[in-house]
Amino acid sequence: MKNLIPLFLLIFLGFQSCDAQHNDNNGSESKIDTIQRVVPPPPGRPPPSLQEEGIFRVVEEMPRFPGCEGKGTKEEIRKCSEQEFTKFIYKNLQYPKEAREKKIEGTCVVQLTIEEDGSVEDVELVRDIGGGCGEEAVRVVELMNKKEIKWTSPKSANRPVKVRFPLPVKFDLLSIEGNENGG
């Protein structure tokens, strides 16, 4: 299960330009490129955005998972936030029994909106690898609201806004070796 920690760092790397790959259960490989690059705007210019119905895709200050406020520099806070989010995922994600039995591995992509208040809304599965993995990825993301976990507010022009972004969740059978309940 310890292999999950580096896998979920992909979640936070999702705010940078990258490609995610996935091998489905028949061995074929497909490539997705759904992750936006976050670049601060030049001084004096509004932030770049793909605003749609009041929801941004890119903002000056992206949301961060809670638990690290006031813990050093912006970079230290960002790293701490990544670690806290990884702990949350590591603690709550369970590899579905059907996926284990069928040896299904790969990356599901969940799209979500972080609201102005930091809550998670509009959770949508946009890529599923089957075997219950997509449902499990959605369940863990929605669990944040059930546990009343609030992200830091995303901001544009120093005001809270809504941000929608993709979240890759990788399922790797090696990560469950030695874990008797598969989670």
Side-chain angles (χ1 to χ4, degrees), residues 5 23 26 32 40-41 46 50 54 78 94 114 120 137 142 148 164:
I5 292 173
N23 290 322
N26 66 12
I32 57 173
L50 300 173
R78 184 190 62 78
Q94 298 174 6
I114 303 294
V120 175
E142 290 177 340
E148 298 182 3
R164 186 150 180 86

Side-chain angles (χ1 to χ4, degrees), residues 54 56 59 114-117 153-156 159-163:
F56 290 80
V59 294
I114 303 294
E115 297 287 322
E116 294 101 331
D117 69 354
S153 296
K155 292 184 181 172
S156 178
R159 66 177 178 85
V161 294
K162 296 178 184 180
V163 173

Side-chain angles (χ1 to χ4, degrees), residues 10-16 34-38 55-59 61-65 85 109-115 118-124 126 141 144 151-152 154 162-168:
L10 284 175
I11 294 165
F12 289 96
L13 295 176
F15 297 130
Q16 298 175 2
T34 59
I35 301 170
Q36 301 283 334
R37 180 168 176 77
V38 177
I55 300 174
F56 290 80
R57 299 261 183 212
V58 179
V59 294
E61 191 175 322
M62 290 298 281
R64 286 186 315 275
F65 197 76
F85 186 69
V109 179
V110 177
Q111 193 156 340
L112 64 139
T113 300
I114 303 294
E115 297 287 322
S119 63
V120 175
E121 297 294 329
D122 303 322
V123 178
E124 176 186 5
V126 294
V141 170
M144 288 183 253
W151 292 61
T152 60
K162 296 178 184 180
V163 173
R164 186 150 180 86
F165 60 89
L167 181 72

